[in-house]
Amino acid sequence: MTTETTEKTFRCNVNYQFDISLEDLRDLFCTMGQGSGYWADNVTVGDIEEDEDGYYLPNQDYEHEGCCAWLKDLTLDSPIKIEDCEEDKHQFKVKDVLTAIEKIVSGKTNLNSYDCGQIFEAFKDDNLGLIDASIADSILQIMTYNTLVYG
């Protein structure tokens, strides 16, 4: 005769506050540009002006890496525009990146626990070196699709 035991588990929510600097966000956009080029054709953060051929106009204070370009001076309401490999266009604001990070560290996404822990530790310890291109890509995907779609 087999007896089955069921263990009761309980869940509690813990609030934790991160202070994320503009420099940290710019570093994160850089890493997102390195990791998301296989599904995101173009990511712009801020109102970067383009010519009719899609090239960025000169005399703008921006940086770029991979498929991502961002203005150096951003606010939480600065726009983020993403064109994915399916040619779908998505629009967000910088504050939506913070919302995605909150969802991830709160366990409200399908991101694996190791990567969630790396994100938590990176912002808790102010060490963005813990977020590699793959993890930054996951943050961008979760912001864009509310889940991991690619990879």
Side-chain angles (χ1 to χ4, degrees), residues 17-76:
Q17 180 175 320
F18 296 130
D19 293 320
I20 301 174
S21 69
L22 180 57
E23 182 180 341
D24 287 345
L25 282 175
R26 289 192 304 246
D27 289 347
L28 185 59
F29 294 135
C30 178
T31 311
M32 285 176 175
Q34 295 166 352
S36 59
Y38 67 100
W39 68 268
D41 290 336
N42 191 29
V43 179
T44 58
V45 184
D47 288 315
I48 299 177
E49 296 180 41
E50 300 176 5
D51 66 15
E52 62 275 352
D53 295 324
Y55 293 104
Y56 301 135
L57 294 176
N59 301 323
Q60 298 181 87
D61 197 14
Y62 74 93
E63 298 174 318
H64 63 90
E65 179 67 39
C67 67
C68 189
W70 59 96
L71 289 176
K72 290 183 181 179
D73 187 26
L74 299 169
T75 69
L76 289 177

Side-chain angles (χ1 to χ4, degrees), residues 109-121:
T109 68
N110 64 338
L111 186 60
N112 67 68
S113 59
Y114 176 80
D115 288 351
C116 291
Q118 288 294 100
I119 294 168
F120 177 82
E121 292 296 323

Side-chain angles (χ1 to χ4, degrees), residues 22 25 29 45-47 73-81 91-98:
L22 180 57
L25 282 175
F29 294 135
V45 184
D47 288 315
D73 187 26
L74 299 169
T75 69
L76 289 177
D77 289 321
S78 294
I80 298 176
K81 297 174 187 166
Q91 291 195 23
F92 301 96
K93 295 185 182 226
V94 169
K95 62 184 164 189
D96 295 320
V97 173
L98 301 179

